[in-house]
Amino acid sequence: MSIRPHSTTETPLIVLEDACKYFPVRRGLTRRVVGHARAVDGVSLAVARGEALGVVGESGSGKTTLARLVPRLIQSTRGRVLYDGQDVETASGRDLIRIRRRMGIVFQDPSSSLNPRTPVRGSIARPLELQGIRGKEATRRVLETIELVNLGAEVLDRYPHQLSGGQQQRASIARAIILRPQLLILDEPTSALDVSVQAQILNLLQSLQAQIGLTYLFITHNLSVVRYMSDRIGVMYLGRLVEVAPVGPMQDRPLHPYTAALFSASPPLNPRLRNRQRYRLVGDPPSLISPPPGCSLHPRCVFAVEQCREEVPLLVDAGDGRQVACHRWMQLALAVQTG
Ligand SMILES: Nc1ncnc2c1ncn2[C@@H]1O[C@H](COP(=O)(O)OP(=O)(O)O)[C@@H](O)[C@H]1O
Ligand SMILES: [Mg+2]
């Protein structure tokens, strides 16, 4: 996908500044707090209008928590979350409703947005109802929206369990866009679907983005999906962003050893690249409750030096619209062979 031109003077739609979410971890009969899981740990990020930003990382790296901070479905522990220049964390109830009206959210599990006890018409029309839009106007908008997601009117009177997985996810998308939001937050929207259905939904999301000018915050653990859907990719490891870059440059020349390992683990589509250099990590991800000091990747990184064991690397500008959080990125030159 090409990168759309963004005006640099325009306020980004989403800004995160050192956003943190620590969950208390409780143990034993007394449910004593024994520590905190640093699900999101100091994430700074800006998403431009009309951009598709993909966030990729292993399970448990904090992607869902990050997604939930944007509409304040959870309150951050520290840092700031701005939506269209407005502070989401300190917004009054009324302002928060106004902010949320401009975002749609699609989860992995369609049952999070489709009520199993009512025909899907009710679930799709629910956001309209909350805005006081009913009757003929509501019907008109529902029909217009299900056409956008390529569903026929006949599905409206069916219950969610009478729909296929793909149809359910289309209905969830219809609900998410019925108020014509600026932003769609998509949290693993296709991870529960068969590969062929997954491709259809991804194509639908791409055409919707072009048709109604949406901004995407696209969360997935699937590298192929994130490459296909994003203009830029943010890579998360243990609650931190380790690298942010446009898709092409990131896959050709990752700057962070973790990104390099991630891309090495998935076979390149181009057969000429099959024998490119591979980067592997050693061992398993450590605990979020007591992450290693310094760079949290250091126990698994073959390039780690003394500094990596002591100092937390900050996400710094690496030129060409790229950012990386690694003390050694300049020396490493992890370029994968480009055939
Ligand atoms: N409500 C919660 N209470 C306690 N811990 C949580 C909660 N939500 C998430 N976590 C923890 O935060 C970490 C990140 O979780 P999550 O954001 O769901 O990651 P991902 O979506 O990348 O798999 C995990 O270790 C998870 O157990
Ligand atoms: Mg998740």
Side-chain angles (χ1 to χ4, degrees):
M1 223 173 144
S2 65
I3 300 164
R4 287 171 204 81
H6 304 299
S7 152
T8 47
T9 53
E10 220 178 344
T11 352
L13 195 58
I14 306 172
V15 175
L16 300 176
E17 287 174 9
D18 193 31
C20 299
K21 180 65 190 181
Y22 300 165
F23 291 108
V25 177
R26 295 169 193 281
R27 292 268 154 74
L29 285 175
T30 56
R31 310 299 296 146
R32 186 168 60 89
V33 175
V34 294
H36 285 85
R38 302 185 193 177
V40 171
D41 197 11
V43 168
S44 297
L45 181 69
V47 184
R49 280 156 221 279
E51 183 180 31
L53 182 95
V55 176
V56 69
E58 292 163 291
S59 169
S61 57
K63 305 180 300 293
T64 294
T65 306
L66 184 73
R68 292 169 66 86
L69 284 173
V70 177
R72 205 169 104 193
L73 294 176
I74 49 172
Q75 188 88 31
S76 69
T77 307
R78 203 177 67 219
R80 294 221 298 169
V81 180
L82 305 177
Y83 184 75
D84 209 359
Q86 209 180 346
D87 196 322
V88 175
E89 298 284 311
T90 58
S92 65
R94 217 175 227 216
D95 285 341
L96 190 59
I97 290 170
R98 232 175 267 137
I99 290 170
R100 284 187 184 155
R101 201 184 296 159
R102 290 151 67 197
M103 312 176 172
I105 310 178
V106 179
F107 301 98
Q108 175 173 346
D109 178 5
S111 69
S112 325
S113 50
L114 304 178
N115 182 343
R117 282 177 295 274
T118 62
V120 294
R121 176 194 301 276
S123 296
I124 295 173
R126 181 76 182 140
L128 293 173
E129 204 179 299
L130 294 173
Q131 299 298 316
I133 303 165
R134 291 161 200 272
K136 275 203 186 127
E137 177 60 12
T139 306
R140 189 187 67 74
R141 294 210 199 174
V142 168
L143 290 174
E144 189 182 279
T145 305
I146 60 161
E147 201 179 317
L148 275 176
V149 300
N150 303 326
L151 280 177
E154 71 283 355
V155 302
L156 291 175
D157 296 315
R158 297 195 191 138
Y159 288 84
H161 75 267
Q162 295 173 305
L163 269 53
S164 69
Q167 287 174 322
Q168 288 179 14
Q169 207 51 310
R170 285 174 197 273
S172 304
I173 296 167
R175 178 187 163 122
I177 63 169
I178 195 143
L179 296 175
R180 299 295 179 269
Q182 300 166 294
L183 169 71
L184 267 197
I185 300 171
L186 300 133
D187 189 2
E188 308 269 7
T190 61
S191 300
L193 303 172
D194 293 341
V195 174
S196 62
V197 182
Q198 179 168 328
Q200 292 167 15
I201 299 288
L202 295 177
N203 288 336
L204 167 69
L205 288 169
Q206 282 212 337
S207 69
L208 273 181
Q209 197 198 9
Q211 263 175 292
I212 53 179
L214 287 159
T215 302
Y216 281 173
L217 179 61
F218 196 105
I219 309 273
T220 177
H221 68 276
N222 185 321
L223 203 59
S224 317
V225 169
V226 84
R227 277 191 285 204
Y228 182 68
M229 286 303 297
S230 319
D231 299 319
R232 271 192 315 153
I233 300 179
V235 179
M236 282 189 83
Y237 182 71
L238 293 188
R240 291 176 184 273
L241 270 179
V242 296
E243 181 165 358
V244 183
V247 178
M250 181 182 278
Q251 62 180 2
D252 291 346
R253 193 169 71 89
L255 299 180
H256 197 286
Y258 183 72
T259 315
L262 211 58
F263 279 92
S264 286
S266 93
L269 297 174
N270 180 348
R272 284 186 307 165
L273 302 184
R274 294 260 155 90
N275 51 12
R276 68 187 177 171
Q277 190 164 355
R278 295 190 167 270
Y279 298 94
R280 285 183 213 287
L281 300 173
V282 292
D284 298 314
S287 148
L288 282 179
I289 305 170
S290 51
C295 172
S296 49
L297 188 67
H298 88 251
R300 306 180 67 194
C301 179
V302 294
F303 306 109
V305 293
E306 200 54 36
Q307 187 187 18
C308 308
R309 291 182 263 276
E310 289 166 0
E311 280 172 45
V312 177
L314 300 175
L315 193 69
V316 296
D317 205 331
D320 300 328
R322 312 188 59 165
Q323 293 163 292
V324 62
C326 170
H327 293 304
R328 307 210 57 213
W329 73 271
M330 264 197 247
Q331 293 101 302
L332 294 180
L334 295 172
V336 290
Q337 199 185 312
T338 51

